[in-house]
Amino acid sequence: MTTQHSPYWRLSSFYFFNCVALGLMLPFWGLYMQSLGYQAAEIGFVSALLMATNVFSPPLWGWWADKTGQRLKLIRWGAAASALCFALLLHDRGLLWMVLSVIACGVCWQGINAQFEAVTLDYLPNNSTDYSRIRLWGSVGFVFAVSGAGWLFDQLQLSILPVLIVGALALMWCSTLTIREPAKAIKIQQQSHSIWQLLRQPALVALLLALTMVYFSHGSYYSFYSIYLEQLRYDKTTMGLLWSLAVLAELLVFALMPALLKRFPVTAILIVSLFATSLRWLGLAYGANWLAVLVCCQLLHGLSFSAVHACAIELIYRYFGSDYQGRGQALYYALCVGTGQASGAFISGWLWELSPVTSFVVAASAAGVAAVLVITALYLPASLLLFGRRPGAGTN
């Protein structure tokens, strides 16, 4: 299924429990805050904070891991701290307390994600495309969480949500204890040149901006999709099933990505996925009253998230190489995922006060701009270094 000596199930269990926590957080935290009496702008602000920690914590953890070579040890400490920090939210003590607790949890939780990607890729040095087969278990965890929680919250109060999230984060920490440090990772790299030399390529800049824009476009979805469905009179079981459908599509695409990357250029997959993302947000803006439209939009999640993420991981892996893999993944999580999702969530909180349609139209426009940026990058001379075949890099 993957490289002979990779601990497939142990690596997969981290993604599973990580995404169980996300599957509880993303669809239902806004509803939880709404049940406590918080306003849309406050919900968008808190949602943005967790994503904003992706801006500064991954580079810090990446630098620390690359310099010390103790990547897995740092991951274990970060996973334990994230569960303890989120436990501070077991009782609502007001907006300021929630803000501080979310920031503390996010610094630990979001900081370790990029480093675990590097650990996984260290176990797949000659076949990075098999990453998707491990990562798909995160999708399984997300489906498990949103489908189960959707039914559960139709029976019980939303007040139990923080307890469930703390439990998932604790299990994520337990999964890190079963994994050994890859032999490659414990060697401290003697780097011959600065990472900033790699960042002078115009095509790389265009790629990072495009990825930032597409993650920005997900802000309204992650922060307000469940609230949107509730406003349209859908029950929580239907919400959970719709979230689950999206992640089933995500899982399927992750499973197919190794074959797709061998058959099609990575940039072709990325461009198609970016246009599909734009179409998805337009569907939510103008067709959410029809269940069939919602189903189609959720199926597009396989492209808007899975394909985009897998293409990004593949390109970052090829470009930065082993010497800078920790910081390369950290840069992707910080600039693209962190800045993109945080700014998207924050701005969507204000746009939502105008109208949900406006918020999703802005999201669709951002995804369209991302597609144009990637297409433009293909015609830059320096793009051959990024989008073409580098010396020693795998083929697609």
Side-chain angles (χ1 to χ4, degrees), residues 216-236:
F216 170 90
S217 78
H218 283 72
S220 298
Y221 174 69
Y222 286 137
S223 299
F224 292 103
Y225 183 65
S226 293
I227 292 175
Y228 189 36
L229 294 180
E230 187 175 62
Q231 291 173 353
L232 295 172
R233 309 292 186 184
Y234 293 100
D235 57 52
K236 292 183 180 64

Side-chain angles (χ1 to χ4, degrees), residues 76-298:
R76 288 169 179 162
W77 280 105
S82 66
L84 292 174
C85 291
F86 205 91
L88 299 174
L89 295 172
L90 291 176
H91 299 286
D92 179 44
R93 296 181 175 89
L95 183 62
L96 179 59
W97 182 265
M98 185 177 290
V99 164
L100 295 176
S101 300
V102 166
I103 291 174
C105 177
V107 167
C108 302
W109 186 7
Q110 304 303 312
I112 66 174
N113 285 334
Q115 298 316 304
F116 199 83
E117 302 280 26
V119 168
T120 301
L121 291 170
D122 278 341
Y123 274 109
L124 305 169
N126 301 315
N127 196 11
S128 62
T129 57
D130 268 349
Y131 161 84
S132 297
R133 292 198 178 101
I134 295 173
R135 177 58 180 80
L136 67 81
W137 283 98
S139 304
V140 173
F142 199 100
V143 170
F144 173 80
V146 296
S147 58
W151 173 84
L152 184 64
F153 294 142
D154 272 336
Q155 319 300 319
L156 302 174
Q157 297 294 319
L158 275 166
S159 58
I160 66 169
L161 178 62
V163 177
L164 297 177
I165 295 175
V166 171
L169 291 173
L171 289 171
M172 180 183 74
W173 167 69
C174 290
S175 74
T176 67
L177 302 179
T178 68
I179 303 168
R180 294 182 180 180
E181 190 93 53
K184 178 182 177 182
I186 60 177
K187 298 178 181 178
I188 300 176
Q189 300 291 337
Q190 300 297 321
Q191 294 148 354
S192 58
H193 55 276
S194 168
I195 192 174
W196 298 109
Q197 291 180 269
L198 299 176
L199 298 176
R200 293 175 183 173
Q201 301 298 330
L204 177 58
V205 174
L207 174 69
L208 293 174
L209 287 175
L211 293 172
T212 301
M213 293 298 292
V214 74
Y215 281 110
F216 170 90
S217 78
H218 283 72
S220 298
Y221 174 69
Y222 286 137
S223 299
F224 292 103
Y225 183 65
S226 293
I227 292 175
Y228 189 36
L229 294 180
E230 187 175 62
Q231 291 173 353
L232 295 172
R233 309 292 186 184
Y234 293 100
D235 57 52
K236 292 183 180 64
T237 299
T238 303
M239 292 179 201
L241 291 174
L242 285 168
W243 279 92
S244 298
L245 182 63
V247 186
L248 286 172
E250 172 185 317
L251 190 156
L252 177 63
V253 171
F254 271 133
L256 293 175
M257 279 306 295
L260 292 174
L261 286 170
K262 290 175 181 176
R263 184 167 183 178
F264 302 104
V266 63
T267 44
I269 299 173
L270 182 59
I271 291 168
V272 169
S273 300
L274 293 174
F275 279 122
T277 304
S278 184
L279 180 63
R280 182 187 183 194
W281 305 143
L282 288 175
L284 291 181
Y286 296 109
N289 285 308
W290 293 278
L291 185 60
V293 174
L294 288 177
V295 167
C296 291
C297 290
Q298 292 303 82

